[in-house]
């Protein structure tokens, strides 16, 4: 579902160039939850942002759902991005919009009719446990509730892939568990493929099927989670 073929990212050039991501191959099959773990500065963010081309790779090709994103023009890329939802450490909600209006935003931008927006947003609020918060503003919500809004918003365009950039790093342990359970639920019920980056072992242990370790911009080790954590 996600394939990176020799994807690399270099910031700057010449002597000051930073090789944030060295040529990387990665395949995440449909329906998988794949984690990439690493220390701060290892290249996790760069890697995940290359998947939806928030960051344009310096070399290599990115495929999502059989389509090469790195080959698309701007308009086609915009359409293709509807198939790739993303959530962030700090939620990135719009403070001037209610919960409902935050979740509806991607659909408004896609030109979906008002009635259909209602029909699509309601079940998402229900699935994420936010039905009674629909008219609240982000400032009135807890961190966990804000991340639920962000998840509902990411699902609004009916993506096939969800990218999670340190999605639980700003949350306390108990809230982290509830958000991870929600992600697992979404993976099972919707068959959504999930790629997540994290610096937390527990996140990987609790929900990932496969995991890669990134260090110095290199994906150095990939294994099924069971094998990854087995000490020899
Ligand atoms: P992580 O997410 O694992 O903390 P990043 O992908 O953010 O790592 O960063 C990898 C390396 O690339 C770091 O050395 C970082 O300083 C550098 N880097 C990230 N973004 C930029 C940028 N926009 N310009 C220059 N260097 C960057
Ligand atoms: P799955 O989800 O079954 O693991 P993908 O969705 O990643 O498979 O791949 C589906 C299709 O995407 C492939 O059959 C191929 O056409 C195209 N594709 C994926 N990766 C590559 C690649 N590295 N080079 C060329 N085509 C690719």
């Amino acid at each position: 579902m996600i394939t990176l073929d020799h994807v690399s990212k270099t910031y700057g050039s010449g002597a000051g160039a930073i090789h944030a991501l060295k040529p990387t191959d990665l395949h995440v099959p449909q329906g998988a939850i794949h984690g990439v773990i690493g220390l701060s500065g290892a290249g996790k963010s760069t890697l995940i942002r290359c998947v939806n081309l928030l960051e344009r790779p310096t070399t290599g090709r990115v495929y999502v759902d059989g389509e090469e994103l790195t080959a698309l023009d701007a308009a086609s890329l915009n359409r293709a991005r509807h198939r790739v939802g993303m959530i962030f450490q700090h939620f990135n909600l719009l403070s001037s919009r209610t919960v409902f209006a935050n979740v509806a935003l991607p659909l408004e931008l896609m030109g979906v009719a008002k009635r259909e927006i209602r029909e699509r947003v309601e079940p998402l609020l229900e699935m994420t446990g936010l039905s009674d918060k629909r008219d609240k503003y982000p400032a009135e919500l807890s961190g966990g509730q804000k991340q639920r809004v962000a998840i509902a918003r990411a699902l609004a365009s009916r993506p096939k892939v969800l990218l999670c950039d340190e999605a639980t790093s700003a949350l306390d342990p108990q809230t982290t568990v509830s958000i991870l359970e929600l992600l697992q639920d979404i993976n099972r019920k919707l068959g959504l493929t999930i790629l997540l980056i994290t610096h937390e072992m527990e996140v990987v242990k609790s929900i990932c099927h496969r995991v890669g370790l990134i260090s110095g911009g290199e994906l150095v080790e990939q294994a099924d989670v069971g094998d990854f954590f087995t000490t020899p």
Side-chain angles (χ1 to χ4, degrees), residues 3-229:
T3 302
L4 303 186
D5 181 10
H6 272 68
V7 169
S8 76
K9 179 72 188 184
T10 302
Y11 296 105
S13 61
I18 296 170
H19 302 288
L21 187 66
K22 295 180 182 151
T24 297
D25 295 324
L26 174 68
H27 182 73
V28 183
Q30 203 258 313
I33 305 182
H34 191 106
V36 173
I37 190 163
L39 299 173
S40 176
K44 302 183 296 294
S45 266
T46 302
L47 179 128
I48 204 164
R49 290 163 64 86
C50 278
V51 174
N52 59 0
L53 269 60
L54 274 184
E55 210 65 77
R56 172 68 63 175
T58 309
T59 66
R61 298 162 194 255
V62 176
Y63 301 84
V64 172
D65 196 19
E67 186 169 35
E68 189 194 336
L69 301 192
T70 34
L72 299 178
D73 61 32
S76 313
L77 179 59
N78 242 336
R79 269 195 303 278
R81 280 201 177 116
H82 298 155
R83 278 175 276 135
V84 187
M86 190 163 185
I87 58 172
F88 305 88
Q89 179 172 4
H90 296 296
F91 325 121
N92 296 5
L93 301 179
L94 296 183
S95 57
S96 63
R97 283 185 158 232
T98 62
V99 166
F100 182 97
N102 264 285
V103 178
L105 181 64
L107 299 175
E108 285 173 25
L109 296 175
M110 286 163 71
V112 174
K114 267 211 164 99
R115 211 186 68 166
E116 198 189 331
I117 290 181
R118 266 201 310 279
E119 287 170 0
R120 285 171 65 167
V121 171
E122 301 288 355
L124 287 171
L125 294 179
E126 198 164 315
M127 176 172 201
T128 50
L130 292 167
S131 296
D132 61 335
K133 300 279 185 261
R134 51 173 290 152
D135 297 322
K136 300 279 185 207
Y137 288 87
E140 303 173 277
L141 303 177
S142 70
Q145 289 164 345
K146 284 182 207 170
Q147 196 58 295
R148 286 170 185 275
V149 178
I151 290 168
R153 180 181 58 183
L155 297 180
S157 62
R158 294 181 179 150
K160 302 220 166 153
V161 166
L162 182 64
L163 305 177
C164 308
D165 184 347
E166 296 279 6
T168 56
S169 297
L171 305 175
D172 61 60
Q174 203 178 334
T175 310
T176 293
V177 169
S178 77
I179 292 297
L180 293 178
E181 281 171 0
L182 176 59
L183 292 176
Q184 210 159 26
D185 212 39
I186 286 165
N187 168 257
R188 289 193 186 129
K189 284 194 186 135
L190 307 179
L192 205 73
T193 305
I194 297 179
L195 175 62
L196 65 85
I197 59 163
T198 182
H199 64 276
E200 297 170 303
M201 254 354 156
E202 286 310 316
V203 169
V204 168
K205 272 190 183 169
S206 64
I207 68 163
C208 292
H209 307 144
R210 253 180 102 70
V211 58
L213 176 68
I214 190 169
S215 171
E218 245 179 304
L219 208 47
V220 289
E221 202 180 323
Q222 293 197 70
D224 291 341
V225 164
D227 301 329
F228 194 79
F229 288 106

